[in-house]
Amino acid sequence: MGLALGPVCDYYLFNNKKVLLMAGWRSLILVLAIVFTAAPVAVAQTGVQARLAPEDSALTGSRDGVSLRLALSQPVPYRMRLLPAPPRVVLEFNTLDWQTMDWPETDGLRALRMGHRGDGWARLVLDLAYPMLPESLAQDVDPDSGRAVITLDMARATRDAFEARAVDESAFIRDYSDHLLHPESAALAEQSGPAPLRVMLDPGHGGVDPGAVRDEVSEAQIVLEFAKTLQEELLRRSGFEVSMTREEDAFVSLDGRLRAARAARADLFLSLHADALPEGLASGAVIYTLAEDASDETAELLATRHDRADLLAGVDLSRNTDEIASVLMSVAWQDTKLRNAELADALVDGIRDDGLRLHARPAQSGAFSVLRAPDMPSALLELGFMSSPRDLARLRDPAWRAQMATAVANGLEIWAARDRDRRAQLEQ
Ligand SMILES: [Zn+2]
């Protein structure tokens, strides 16, 4: 069964019937080919997993287009997204085991990455060398063997055409993906509406405290730019409300940042940094969560340095150490500690799945005053280190920041899904 993508219509497949879903959503092609009577979520839970057959799969490409053929042991729910800057195609498959697959180098692609999102979806990312748009996307099922083949044909397009589609895509996800992926919860959601996750983004430093400075660029500037990109990315998706502790180059005390999170009734606090450390100590992204003892000297150095900026600005921090101690003793902390660890893991997964550079020890801990809320999951993300020349080049690159924002947003989605599942289990 083939599926041609018309100019104004998208389809999705349900029980092998082609259904006209919605006119006007050209951007994202979301296709669920469900051969089980159960919903895809139930498929994931029963552990039914399709396997990729490398010998029957193929990838060819040129400057004019790319063709992909995935041979599978059984059909899977799948979906496709287009991401701009740099142009990428993201294909996701529910419960697919990649096994080992050596893809050939192909003109038309810069890179190809495979990974697992951690929530039952496997992901294939095609980094396009040129803007290309899908001409056809289909899953054909052999009725005798039950095996399936997914084919995707992409053709060269203008950058404008690609970006028009890639931008639209997010609106489609916002309006449709949750309903399609969790059909059994859609009825519930219609009654009460799913509560959005209120995220407080905290771009570190600012004003009198520039943070690290290299080549006349400050950490405060870089993390503010990143926070704005991440805010846009989250707002394009469903399920997030986003606030920021600062939206300009202004000093905000660590206490003020926490108060802002409280005032916004934030469900989650994410502090964003890109510090400098003595040469050679660190590169790649690290996620820190709160603990009395730092996981290593670097973490301790970062925690005390961030406090020092407050001291220099005349803020009294004498009670913070005591506060951290009492947070760690509190009853609420037991639950938050677990959720923090899961938040760090999910962010690591999101960044790793997108093939971005992580520190050798990506999840660490320290006595960061800004993370001392006892009942609000909090993490401090060092996007990279300005002291590493290669990290610095990436941090200054808007395309890299956009890619990192996508990865972090994916991580937050992964966390939100896992956290909801865990809470539902606790309630039973
Ligand atoms: Zn910093």
Side-chain angles (χ1 to χ4, degrees):
M1 166 176 12
L3 177 55
L5 302 175
V8 293
C9 302
D10 287 320
Y11 302 92
Y12 85 108
L13 305 178
F14 195 85
N15 291 339
N16 289 338
K17 287 196 201 88
K18 192 184 283 185
V19 178
L20 178 64
L21 187 63
M22 181 73 191
W25 300 102
R26 278 171 289 171
S27 49
L28 171 111
I29 301 89
L30 180 79
V31 182
L32 296 177
I34 303 167
V35 292
F36 307 93
T37 50
V41 174
V43 175
Q45 282 163 352
T46 54
V48 178
Q49 192 170 49
R51 285 187 317 281
L52 182 71
E55 65 282 6
D56 296 325
S57 300
L59 174 68
T60 56
S62 69
R63 297 168 62 94
D64 298 323
V66 167
S67 293
L68 175 70
R69 173 191 162 90
L70 297 172
L72 309 175
S73 60
Q74 64 187 51
V76 292
Y78 68 106
R79 59 192 177 186
M80 186 179 81
R81 296 198 277 165
L82 303 175
L83 301 179
R88 280 157 292 159
V89 179
V90 179
L91 283 160
E92 293 181 323
F93 311 91
N94 205 311
T95 61
L96 172 63
D97 179 3
W98 287 120
Q99 302 186 320
T100 51
M101 175 77 198
D102 284 328
W103 296 99
E105 290 230 349
T106 306
D107 286 344
L109 287 190
R110 280 188 217 288
L112 182 150
R113 301 191 297 275
M114 296 188 295
H116 288 272
R117 280 172 48 128
D119 56 358
W121 287 87
R123 174 183 288 178
L124 180 69
V125 181
L126 307 176
D127 278 335
L128 302 174
Y130 313 95
M132 293 180 191
L133 287 171
E135 293 216 304
S136 67
L137 172 65
Q139 176 164 246
D140 294 306
V141 183
D142 181 333
D144 298 326
S145 66
R147 302 176 69 84
V149 175
I150 292 176
T151 51
L152 167 67
D153 291 307
M154 308 277 302
R156 183 76 175 260
T158 64
R159 185 161 298 274
D160 284 352
F162 183 91
E163 287 183 354
R165 297 266 292 265
V167 170
D168 273 352
E169 158 236 354
S170 48
F172 188 100
I173 293 172
R174 186 178 61 229
D175 291 346
Y176 291 100
S177 64
D178 202 53
H179 164 67
L180 292 176
L181 298 178
H182 303 285
E184 83 287 4
S185 66
L188 268 177
E190 267 169 29
Q191 288 165 10
S192 56
L197 190 73
R198 288 183 296 260
V199 179
M200 177 58 79
L201 296 180
D202 173 41
H205 310 279
V208 294
D209 167 25
V213 179
R214 288 287 186 285
D215 304 339
E216 295 176 4
V217 182
S218 71
E219 178 187 356
Q221 277 173 279
I222 285 179
V223 296
L224 181 59
E225 287 300 317
F226 178 79
K228 288 176 177 170
T229 308
L230 177 56
Q231 181 182 35
E232 283 170 20
E233 175 67 30
L234 289 171
L235 292 178
R236 274 202 294 265
R237 304 181 180 208
S238 65
F240 292 100
E241 282 176 11
V242 186
S243 316
M244 306 227 293
T245 53
R246 66 179 180 94
E247 299 195 25
E248 53 188 25
D249 186 22
F251 177 81
V252 185
S253 70
L254 298 179
D255 223 32
R257 294 167 196 263
L258 274 183
R259 279 201 309 273
R262 287 263 175 263
R265 296 179 36 239
D267 298 312
L268 183 141
F269 182 86
L270 184 62
S271 195
L272 301 165
H273 288 261
D275 282 272
L277 287 167
E279 212 56 53
L281 263 188
S283 68
V286 191
I287 295 102
Y288 291 96
T289 49
L290 181 70
E292 193 164 24
D293 297 319
S295 52
D296 66 11
E297 281 176 25
T298 308
E300 193 166 337
L301 181 67
L302 286 171
T304 48
R305 185 181 292 170
H306 286 154
D307 279 5
R308 201 171 58 209
D310 261 25
L311 288 172
L312 288 175
V315 177
D316 175 18
L317 274 177
S318 53
R319 60 195 175 81
N320 279 14
T321 328
D322 287 349
E323 264 188 41
I324 288 178
S326 63
V327 163
L328 295 171
M329 301 271 291
S330 69
V331 175
W333 174 246
Q334 294 314 311
D335 186 49
T336 306
K337 181 182 173 185
L338 192 70
R339 299 176 78 200
N340 283 350
E342 288 174 347
L343 175 59
D345 285 348
L347 288 169
V348 167
D349 288 347
I351 294 169
R352 179 175 288 144
D353 285 356
D354 253 15
L356 293 162
R357 190 167 157 67
L358 282 160
H359 188 272
R361 284 182 62 201
Q364 297 200 39
S365 56
F368 292 89
S369 292
V370 79
L371 302 180
R372 68 185 189 285
D375 53 355
M376 177 172 59
S378 309
L380 185 147
L381 168 61
E382 294 279 357
L383 297 163
F385 292 89
M386 289 178 71
S387 42
S388 152
R390 297 174 91 182
D391 277 12
L392 180 60
R394 285 188 274 260
L395 288 161
R396 297 181 67 167
D397 175 8
W400 181 89
R401 289 201 299 262
Q403 202 184 347
M404 185 56 127
T406 304
V408 171
N410 290 342
L412 293 180
E413 277 186 349
I414 293 170
W415 179 80
R418 289 180 189 165
D419 197 57
R420 268 198 305 271
D421 286 353
R422 196 177 64 85
R423 308 225 129 207
Q425 274 176 7
L426 283 178
E427 276 165 24
Q428 281 170 8

